[in-house]
Amino acid sequence: MSVLNWKKKGEFINVFGHSIFVIDSNTLSNTSNNTKDVLVLLHGYPTSSYDYYKVLPDLAQQYRVIMHDHLGFGFSEKPLDYSYSLIEQADIALQLWKQLGLKKVTLCAHDYGTSVATEILARDNMEELTIKIKQLILCNGSMHIELSQLRTIQILLKNKWTGKWVAKLTNYPIFRRNLRNVFFDKRKVSEVELQDMWFQLEYNNGRKVIHLLSNYINERYYFWHRWIGALKESQIPTKIVWARNDPVAVAAIASLLATEIPNNALHWIEDTGHFPMLENPEEWKRYILDK
């Protein structure tokens, strides 16, 4: 599916004065079927909700699926004068779900989205939420940032001195090489997919904010105790669905999380890299849908 066709599936919703790109499977089916359980998806860095394009049709058979592009990502607004804190990304997600009238959800998060999810979890533990999280699903995110194998470009982008200049110099060949290298089987990501991801990154002057988005890595250190603590305290049933051959969010992170989260089940996806929903969609969605 081309990224422009993906855009046609969504709509733009104003959240706290910002235009957020949202896909709601109820809208796609032209129904208002509110009897299905709701699955909300949080995507990773530096991509968008487009990461889930291969799995959306089957997920929508079982769930009302709702996903959005985080502020600064994909087709959502990309303001130049914004902090892009993960705390505020959690604010936006929760407000969006409130505006959509959601009461109870299964929350599935990948990569960057796992930190948004753990901030939401911290608030849930303090009984600050108006929405109930029925189940949590965590996929290949470097929540234990001390174990993460960051790419060189991530290290440069998160640095307040080098980040802006690296962002200016970043081009499609650099992006393509870095994205392909996090796939276990590089044949599983097509040139068209990579071009579509780059198109969304550049969309609406996106390269001008990519270094600001990269500060999330620093926040993972700063809020480590809050977010890892939230996982240790949570009683929400949790699935850990992990691609074992991820070169960034390495298998050791999933293994450690499985010892820390009280009520969890760990599922490995073999011979798969950082984007399992793109590289191995059949197995990934099987674990997501298995109740």
Side-chain angles (χ1 to χ4, degrees):
M1 176 186 293
S2 77
V3 72
L4 293 179
N5 285 332
W6 182 254
K7 186 181 179 184
K8 291 176 183 177
K9 290 181 176 291
E11 61 180 323
F12 291 89
I13 295 178
N14 186 295
V15 181
F16 295 138
H18 296 293
S19 179
I20 301 298
F21 177 74
V22 182
I23 288 181
D24 181 343
S25 64
N26 264 9
T27 303
L28 297 178
S29 61
N30 295 315
T31 66
S32 300
N33 186 352
N34 293 320
T35 61
K36 288 183 178 179
D37 288 345
V38 177
L39 173 67
V40 292
L41 299 172
L42 298 177
H43 71 80
Y45 168 99
T47 49
S48 70
S49 58
Y50 183 62
D51 293 348
Y52 298 107
Y53 86 91
K54 289 183 179 179
V55 296
L56 176 59
D58 285 330
L59 296 181
Q61 292 295 315
Q62 187 164 311
Y63 287 100
R64 177 187 176 190
V65 181
I66 294 170
M67 64 188 90
H68 70 282
D69 292 348
H70 304 297
L71 190 69
F73 293 78
F75 293 121
S76 286
E77 188 177 333
K78 297 171 181 175
L80 299 178
D81 55 344
Y82 196 78
S83 72
Y84 292 106
S85 168
L86 289 160
I87 303 290
E88 290 171 299
Q89 297 286 22
D91 291 339
I92 289 170
L94 289 168
Q95 179 62 24
L96 170 65
W97 300 338
K98 182 179 180 180
Q99 289 177 208
L100 292 174
L102 306 185
K103 303 297 183 185
K104 183 191 300 184
V105 301
T106 290
L107 170 55
C108 177
H110 171 247
D111 185 69
Y112 178 101
T114 61
S115 289
V116 180
T118 50
E119 170 58 24
I120 291 171
L121 201 63
R123 301 183 196 188
D124 182 66
N125 289 342
M126 293 183 283
E127 300 183 350
E128 294 178 357
L129 299 188
T130 58
I131 192 169
K132 177 177 175 60
I133 301 172
K134 181 179 178 181
Q135 183 183 48
L136 177 66
I137 306 173
L138 300 172
C139 307
N140 289 83
S142 297
M143 291 156 282
H144 272 289
I145 189 63
E146 72 280 8
L147 298 178
S148 177
Q149 301 298 308
L150 296 175
R151 317 302 285 183
T152 300
I153 194 167
Q154 289 178 291
I155 295 169
L156 293 172
L157 281 168
K158 77 181 182 68
N159 184 284
K160 66 178 181 179
W161 304 113
T162 60
K164 186 175 181 179
W165 303 107
V166 172
K168 284 185 176 182
L169 293 171
T170 298
N171 55 27
Y172 176 66
I174 293 172
F175 173 84
R176 177 182 182 274
R177 182 173 65 251
N178 278 279
L179 259 290
R180 287 188 80 249
N181 283 343
V182 299
F183 281 75
F184 177 75
D185 184 346
K186 313 240 177 337
R187 298 169 299 175
K188 295 289 185 70
V189 59
S190 71
E191 191 66 28
V192 171
E193 286 173 321
L194 291 166
Q195 290 171 352
D196 283 344
M197 292 175 186
W198 176 250
F199 175 84
Q200 289 182 91
L201 186 149
E202 282 205 299
Y203 182 84
N204 199 18
N205 293 316
R207 266 200 294 174
K208 292 184 178 180
V209 304
I210 190 68
H211 63 293
L212 301 175
L213 300 179
S214 302
N215 189 55
Y216 82 95
I217 298 170
N218 297 319
E219 285 193 294
R220 277 178 160 163
Y221 286 105
Y222 189 82
F223 292 109
W224 189 95
H225 291 286
R226 175 177 173 88
W227 293 340
I228 297 299
L231 289 168
K232 291 178 179 180
E233 294 171 15
S234 176
Q235 297 303 310
I236 295 171
T238 301
K239 287 183 192 176
I240 305 168
V241 179
W242 217 267
R244 193 188 291 272
N245 305 97
D246 188 336
V248 182
V250 294
I253 296 175
S255 297
L256 181 53
L257 290 172
T259 70
E260 296 175 323
I261 301 172
N263 185 10
N264 81 84
L266 173 58
H267 305 282
W268 293 109
I269 302 177
E270 303 293 341
D271 299 329
T272 306
H274 185 64
F275 289 92
M277 68 290 295
L278 288 171
E279 188 174 351
N280 198 342
E282 294 300 320
E283 190 166 359
W284 184 84
K285 70 189 176 188
R286 177 167 61 85
Y287 286 126
I288 302 306
L289 293 174
D290 183 15
K291 294 186 176 181

